[in-house]
Amino acid sequence: MTDLPTSFADREALADYLRQAFADFAEGDAPPATLPGGRRAAEPLLEAVDPPLYARTRNHLDGAVTRLSPYLRHGIVTLAEVRDRALATSGERAAKLVNELGWRDYYQRAHAKLGQRVWEDQEPSKTGLDAADYASDLPPEVERGETSLACIDAFARDLARTGYLHNHARMYVAAYVVHWRRVRWQAGAAWFLRHLLDGDPASNNLSWQWVASTFSHKPYIFNRANLERATDGRYCRDCPSARDCPFAGSYEELAARLFPELERVA
Amino acid sequence: MRAIVWLHEDGLRLDDCRELPALFVFDDALMRRLGYGLKRITFIYETLVELEVTIRRGDTASEVQRFAAEHGAETLRLRPTVCPERLAIIADLARHFAIDELPEPVFVTAPERLDLKRFSRYWRRVGAQAMLPTAKQG
Ligand SMILES: Cc1cc2nc3c(=O)[nH]c(=O)nc-3n(C[C@H](O)[C@H](O)[C@H](O)COP(=O)(O)OP(=O)(O)OC[C@H]3O[C@@H](n4cnc5c(N)ncnc54)[C@H](O)[C@@H]3O)c2cc1C
């Protein structure tokens, strides 16, 4: 049996080899700009973890999030290790980061219990809509980043190029796909898993279900004001759809538009 | 009993078993089922190059068996996983090998009947414990 090569001149040579050897797995033609694999690459990220700053800024797209997820997902770094470092530097002020690490542990435990059922609705959706109201496939323009919504398109392209999205970008995209486009969450979850370096059916599928409301008590939606705050309005400034933004409005207005059946019941 | 390490992508770390022969298998059929793309393959591959392990391509169970035979091993050391596809492969390999699951550093120990319906319920049970360093986990 022949071993695959383990020695390369540099990262580029390794990438070239893989592009040929695993050509069938190429996701598209965008040149990838991914985080490097390996423990050595994780070290500077571990060093940079600043738990109090994390707690203050993590909801902003430029906030001091750790970007450790691909390393945690693949067991290169462990939750326990990140927790211990955070406690050592910051004590009680590590609480927010430890809580977020807890989400990964929680989803892993849920996946251990559910097995393949992470692909099924955990509960009925709370949108007032039927399964038949949701399309089974992701519209191709969403995946290609060609919806004319500057924010969503930028997130879709970042996802394909880098294999990483900030937590809020993931929430925005998932809400857009499921609630604005009325696509089954499974289609969006499979799209994310193809690209995310940290892709994991536990955290991914259960987060999609949390957005969809099949694993939570109400659907997650956002509005333009919320997105502008988290992004300093950078996408809205030049957005071709800015005057006709589907995310503009109060939460009540958006909910009434997206979930008309709920209004009728209420 | 002689052992090998079967590395898989839910635990790409050697730590306590550096001295043993270690194998990773790129299994096209499995990667297709799991929806992997080239970005992910690249990330995993770079990690393996750094770990200096043997890398092969083919059906996971057959390749693990072949590698074990080459080293005269009867025990497989591996990291825990919750991946259903991988658990099925492990169950299959357990018919031929002693399976030795490597211990993970503890984030929190689970109470007997942990309610996982909502994160809030889970966190109410383990949140305080999670704020203790690993050395103080039960
Ligand atoms: C629709 C959707 C899909 C997602 N898919 C995945 C996925 O496939 N894999 C994945 O690891 N995470 C997923 N997440 C959770 C979260 O977005 C990422 O873990 C986080 O953004 C990774 O970036 P970071 O390492 O900078 O996070 P940080 O904020 O720095 O957090 C540190 C670590 O804590 C864990 N963590 C933090 N927040 C969460 C969370 N909400 N859920 C689970 N773990 C968390 C991660 O391991 C993360 O690396 C998803 C979230 C959503 C809304």
Side-chain angles (χ1 to χ4, degrees):
Chain A
M1 190 63 225
T2 50
D3 296 353
L4 269 49
T6 52
S7 161
F8 299 90
D10 52 26
R11 257 197 110 198
E12 209 30 62
L14 183 148
D16 282 343
Y17 163 73
L18 294 176
R19 257 194 296 277
Q20 289 189 6
F22 292 92
D24 290 358
F25 289 89
E27 302 101 331
D29 25 56
T34 56
L35 283 171
R39 171 77 200 189
R40 265 197 293 277
E43 285 297 341
L45 300 179
L46 280 166
E47 289 296 325
V49 173
D50 181 339
L53 187 65
Y54 175 85
R56 277 203 309 283
T57 65
R58 59 177 283 277
N59 287 327
H60 194 281
L61 258 72
D62 300 326
V65 295
T66 68
R67 292 188 163 244
L68 282 168
S69 53
Y71 306 96
L72 285 164
R73 151 69 182 90
H74 295 101
I76 299 164
V77 168
T78 65
L79 292 175
E81 177 185 8
V82 179
R83 181 256 321 274
D84 289 358
R85 278 175 174 247
L87 289 177
T89 61
S90 311
E92 286 298 316
R93 293 189 305 164
K96 188 63 213 168
L97 178 58
V98 173
N99 175 272
E100 294 300 322
L101 295 171
W103 277 94
R104 174 169 171 81
D105 184 62
Y106 167 70
Y107 285 139
Q108 289 292 303
R109 288 175 192 274
H111 190 18
K113 205 162 105 181
L114 294 168
Q116 297 290 9
R117 281 179 293 143
V118 289
W119 286 101
E120 297 166 13
D121 288 356
Q122 295 307 304
E123 299 162 22
S125 125
K126 287 86 184 172
T127 58
L129 297 161
D130 296 328
D133 295 319
Y134 293 88
S136 33
D137 297 321
L138 195 65
E141 73 272 18
V142 173
E143 191 163 352
R144 285 202 299 262
E146 294 171 358
T147 65
S148 298
L149 302 167
C151 55
I152 299 296
D153 289 348
F155 299 145
R157 293 200 195 123
D158 286 350
L159 173 68
R161 208 168 46 84
T162 69
Y164 176 84
L165 286 180
H166 185 281
N167 183 241
H168 279 262
R170 298 182 199 210
M171 287 161 60
Y172 298 147
V173 173
Y176 172 69
V177 166
V178 176
H179 301 312
W180 272 268
R181 302 299 297 256
R182 290 209 183 142
V183 173
R184 291 177 75 219
W185 64 261
Q186 287 92 337
W191 170 42
F192 268 30
L193 285 179
R194 259 198 314 286
H195 291 286
L196 285 173
L197 285 185
D198 62 35
D200 184 331
S203 295
N204 182 64
N205 293 22
L206 295 171
S207 294
W208 275 87
Q209 299 218 42
W210 179 86
V211 168
S213 76
T214 56
F215 193 49
S216 64
H217 64 275
K218 66 168 203 288
Y220 167 80
I221 57 169
F222 65 97
N223 67 8
R224 177 169 171 172
N226 170 281
L227 185 139
E228 283 199 272
R229 220 176 305 120
T231 61
D232 297 332
R234 83 188 66 151
Y235 300 111
C236 306
R237 269 194 293 278
D238 302 316
C239 178
S241 313
R243 287 148 171 272
D244 200 17
C245 174
F247 311 127
S250 68
Y251 281 92
E252 292 70 27
E253 287 162 356
L254 290 174
R257 211 182 309 148
L258 297 170
F259 314 118
E261 299 301 319
L262 291 185
E263 292 282 294
R264 210 161 300 158
V265 180
Chain B
M1 259 202 311
R2 295 175 74 123
I4 58 154
V5 177
W6 166 35
L7 269 188
H8 56 69
E9 69 269 27
D10 297 336
L12 293 177
R13 212 165 72 248
L14 289 172
D15 287 356
D16 38 350
C17 47
R18 256 171 232 288
E19 72 291 352
L20 295 175
L23 172 75
F24 184 94
V25 183
F26 282 100
D27 183 332
D28 286 33
L30 178 59
M31 292 197 294
R32 246 177 229 113
R33 278 238 298 284
L34 298 174
Y36 288 4
L38 189 57
K39 287 192 288 292
R40 172 90 70 128
I41 292 173
T42 306
F43 183 86
I44 294 173
Y45 209 104
E46 279 191 280
T47 305
L48 297 171
V49 166
E50 187 181 294
L51 289 173
E52 299 179 339
V53 298
T54 301
I55 310 174
R56 289 182 184 170
R57 190 168 180 179
D59 170 68
T60 305
S62 326
E63 292 302 327
V64 169
Q65 278 180 272
R66 208 191 317 262
F67 188 76
E70 287 164 19
H71 292 276
E74 291 152 35
T75 299
L76 296 183
R77 297 243 159 97
L78 49 95
R79 304 246 167 239
T81 177
V82 300
C83 168
E85 287 83 358
R86 200 154 0 259
L87 288 170
I89 296 173
I90 295 170
D92 180 30
L93 286 167
R95 296 186 293 127
H96 310 282
F97 297 99
I99 304 285
D100 182 6
E101 202 174 89
L102 295 160
E104 285 290 289
V106 177
F107 181 67
V108 291
T109 43
E112 278 279 306
R113 298 213 331 273
L114 192 60
D115 183 353
L116 294 172
K117 192 169 158 69
R118 292 286 181 264
F119 177 80
S120 53
R121 300 185 194 176
Y122 154 83
W123 201 243
R124 227 173 287 135
R125 294 294 298 275
V126 304
Q129 190 199 332
M131 285 296 285
L132 298 173
T134 308
K136 291 199 180 145
Q137 296 290 329

